[in-house]
Amino acid sequence: MTADPLTLEHELPPDEELVPGEVRRPNHPSARPRRVAQTVAAARKVLEDEGPGALTMRRLADELGIRAPSLYKHFDSKAAVELAVIEDAMFDIGDVTHRAIHEPGAMGPLLSLLTTYRTYCLSHPNLYRLATSGHLPRKSLPPGLEDWAGNPWFVVTGDPHLAQALWSFAHGMVVLELDDRYPPGSDLESTWRAGAAAFERLTAQRQGDGSGRVA
Amino acid sequence: MTADPLTLEHELPPDEELVPGEVRRPNHPSARPRRVAQTVAAARKVLEDEGPGALTMRRLADELGIRAPSLYKHFDSKAAVELAVIEDAMFDIGDVTHRAIHEPGAMGPLLSLLTTYRTYCLSHPNLYRLATSGHLPRKSLPPGLEDWAGNPWFVVTGDPHLAQALWSFAHGMVVLELDDRYPPGSDLESTWRAGAAAFERLTAQRQGDGSGRVA
DNA sequence: TTGGGAGGCTAACGTTGATAGCTAGTATGG
DNA sequence: CCATACTAGCTATCAACGTTAGCCTCCCAA
């Protein structure tokens, strides 16, 4: 993460600065029109504070001191508002996970990534659910966002398939924990450790085989 | 799975027949009142064929040739209908996975479990999503259902934490695949293999250490 | 014969996302 | 300086949703 978060569109440095296999952070949609930005902020706040049931167009309009139909001057649909919130969430998660692997502390990058991911996602349950469940309208996302947000998993495993598998494990854990899906009394710390151990072996072995990062 | 699927309530054989650590299959809610059974069947059909958006009380009533309010003579709410569908789905998945580990074929129990799970869930996307996403009203489920359905993961790994971790991995994979969350062109076969490999080592090692099944 | 429950029905309510059509303000071009 | 056109608000309204209230009709048991 060398890119300046405030960099404006079309002002990115050239690709040459990137380590091969690393992915550039896409532009943050910071320069949104005033009302749009206000609406997205309100949507995120309402969602996180009161859950998805409270996220209605009328409620959103109330929050801005206007009427619901006026929102349609700025968004095509409720789904468009949600999509903007999803973008922000993906940026946040990307930031947090990139930081986790670049400042892993004592526990090593893989464990740092997993615990960071778990902590962030569990403390933003409604945001996480919105961002990660249901069909992804990939074509409407800022190009590169997905790759950039997923990059830490690749960096940490050194292999695309292992990366996807590890991310799937983490996502499964988080979402099942959020939905209260594990039997009561489950020792989830140990479950995370068990999963981490399973993947740690393979990545350690792979990193030790001298082949380095895989394209 | 020695219990007869058609066994009626309170006619289960004594617990002694069970291997320690194994869990008895709960009674299937087969003896539901006629209209209730019809409604649940219709709900499942509509859901699987046309997605969650089509699953409305009016649509369900249409399917039975009655009016929507009449459904409330048999169910407290739409959520109650969905819960019955979820129960059926959990029974189905439990049956399929128990079969997978008891007739593993050439690939071994763990891989058999994973491929069976993947195949079943991907071929019932809407049913799977309904059954596994959102908060679980655990108290309303038939007692034992959850443990029984989760038992194969325990049998295959020999350890409760590894079992939960493996299940989380599988659930994450399925749900992300269903939601089109992996970048286009992903080789998901390899991803499943990578995850399987990560867990296979630990379970093999554990099964080889002589301690056998863990309580 | 009668009483009551089971299971239908119609009418209606409140909430939701969304559209149509009007209007006040503002900026721009002649 | 005025005419035009766009922006962004508004009210009224729609259809669909889950759900409730209240009524009626059939059937079975006392």
Side-chain angles (χ1 to χ4, degrees):
Chain A
M1 267 316 306
T2 55
D4 178 356
L6 296 179
T7 303
L8 297 177
E9 301 225 15
H10 311 306
E11 292 191 13
L12 290 173
D15 273 5
E16 324 311 323
E17 297 183 9
L18 289 177
V19 180
E22 203 147 3
V23 175
R24 179 178 309 286
R25 186 193 207 270
N27 295 314
H28 195 283
S30 44
R32 293 198 263 231
R34 187 183 61 96
R35 261 288 122 97
V36 172
Q38 288 175 347
T39 309
V40 175
R44 178 170 177 159
K45 176 169 154 288
V46 170
L47 175 68
E48 295 211 59
D49 292 354
E50 305 170 44
L55 190 59
T56 72
M57 295 304 264
R58 284 168 176 85
R59 174 65 197 280
L60 238 36
D62 271 357
E63 214 75 18
L64 305 190
I66 62 176
R67 301 294 187 159
S70 304
L71 288 173
Y72 291 86
K73 300 289 180 179
H74 309 280
F75 295 89
D76 283 346
S77 64
K78 185 189 179 187
V81 181
E82 291 173 334
L83 182 65
V85 176
I86 292 175
E87 281 177 26
D88 285 10
M90 291 180 71
F91 271 103
D92 278 16
I93 296 175
D95 278 338
V96 159
T97 51
H98 273 93
R99 227 185 338 261
I101 62 169
H102 285 109
E103 303 156 8
M107 52 180 139
L110 193 146
L111 227 58
S112 171
L113 175 60
L114 287 181
T115 60
T116 299
Y117 192 77
R118 182 190 184 197
T119 302
Y120 179 88
C121 299
L122 291 186
S123 57
H124 301 82
N126 294 311
L127 187 65
Y128 184 75
R129 258 189 281 243
L130 174 68
T132 63
S133 67
H135 197 275
L136 217 207
R138 175 164 291 114
K139 304 195 61 168
S140 313
L141 283 180
L145 211 204
E146 217 182 344
D147 286 344
W148 170 77
N151 199 54
W153 306 89
F154 173 68
V155 170
V156 132
T157 55
D159 172 82
H161 303 119
L162 224 36
Q164 289 185 327
L166 180 63
W167 174 50
S168 304
F169 162 69
H171 172 67
M173 287 292 304
V174 165
V175 91
L176 292 172
E177 193 169 354
L178 282 180
D179 288 347
D180 197 25
R181 229 66 191 199
Y182 297 104
S186 291
D187 177 7
L188 296 181
E189 299 288 336
S190 297
T191 300
W192 277 95
R193 262 199 301 276
F199 284 97
E200 195 112 50
R201 308 213 164 202
L202 284 194
T203 67
Q205 165 189 315
R206 194 169 284 270
Q207 282 166 2
D209 72 1
S211 78
R213 182 171 285 116
V214 180
Chain B
M1 266 317 307
T2 53
D4 179 357
L6 296 179
T7 302
L8 297 178
E9 302 225 14
H10 312 304
E11 292 191 12
L12 290 173
D15 272 3
E16 325 309 324
E17 297 183 9
L18 289 177
V19 180
E22 203 148 3
V23 175
R24 178 178 310 287
R25 186 193 207 270
N27 295 315
H28 195 284
S30 44
R32 292 198 263 231
R34 186 183 62 95
R35 263 282 122 100
V36 172
Q38 288 175 346
T39 308
V40 175
R44 178 170 179 159
K45 175 168 154 287
V46 169
L47 175 68
E48 295 210 59
D49 292 353
E50 305 170 45
L55 189 59
T56 72
M57 296 303 266
R58 285 172 175 85
R59 174 65 198 280
L60 237 37
D62 271 357
E63 214 73 18
L64 305 189
I66 63 177
R67 301 295 184 157
S70 303
L71 288 173
Y72 290 85
K73 300 288 180 179
H74 310 280
F75 295 89
D76 282 346
S77 64
K78 185 188 178 186
V81 180
E82 291 173 334
L83 183 66
V85 175
I86 291 175
E87 281 177 24
D88 284 10
M90 291 181 72
F91 271 103
D92 278 15
I93 295 176
D95 278 337
V96 159
T97 51
H98 273 92
R99 226 185 341 258
I101 63 170
H102 284 108
E103 302 157 8
M107 52 180 139
L110 192 146
L111 226 59
S112 171
L113 174 60
L114 288 181
T115 60
T116 299
Y117 192 75
R118 182 189 184 197
T119 302
Y120 178 88
C121 298
L122 291 186
S123 57
H124 302 82
N126 294 310
L127 188 64
Y128 184 75
R129 257 189 282 243
L130 175 69
T132 64
S133 67
H135 197 275
L136 217 206
R138 175 164 291 113
K139 304 194 62 169
S140 313
L141 284 180
L145 211 206
E146 217 182 345
D147 286 344
W148 169 78
N151 199 53
W153 306 89
F154 174 69
V155 170
V156 131
T157 55
D159 172 81
H161 304 119
L162 223 37
Q164 289 185 327
L166 179 64
W167 173 51
S168 304
F169 161 70
H171 171 67
M173 287 292 304
V174 165
V175 91
L176 292 172
E177 194 169 354
L178 282 179
D179 288 348
D180 196 24
R181 230 65 193 199
Y182 297 104
S186 291
D187 177 9
L188 296 181
E189 299 288 336
S190 298
T191 300
W192 277 95
R193 261 198 304 276
F199 285 97
E200 195 111 49
R201 309 214 161 198
L202 284 195
T203 68
Q205 165 189 316
R206 195 169 285 270
Q207 282 166 1
D209 73 359
S211 80
R213 181 172 285 115
V214 180

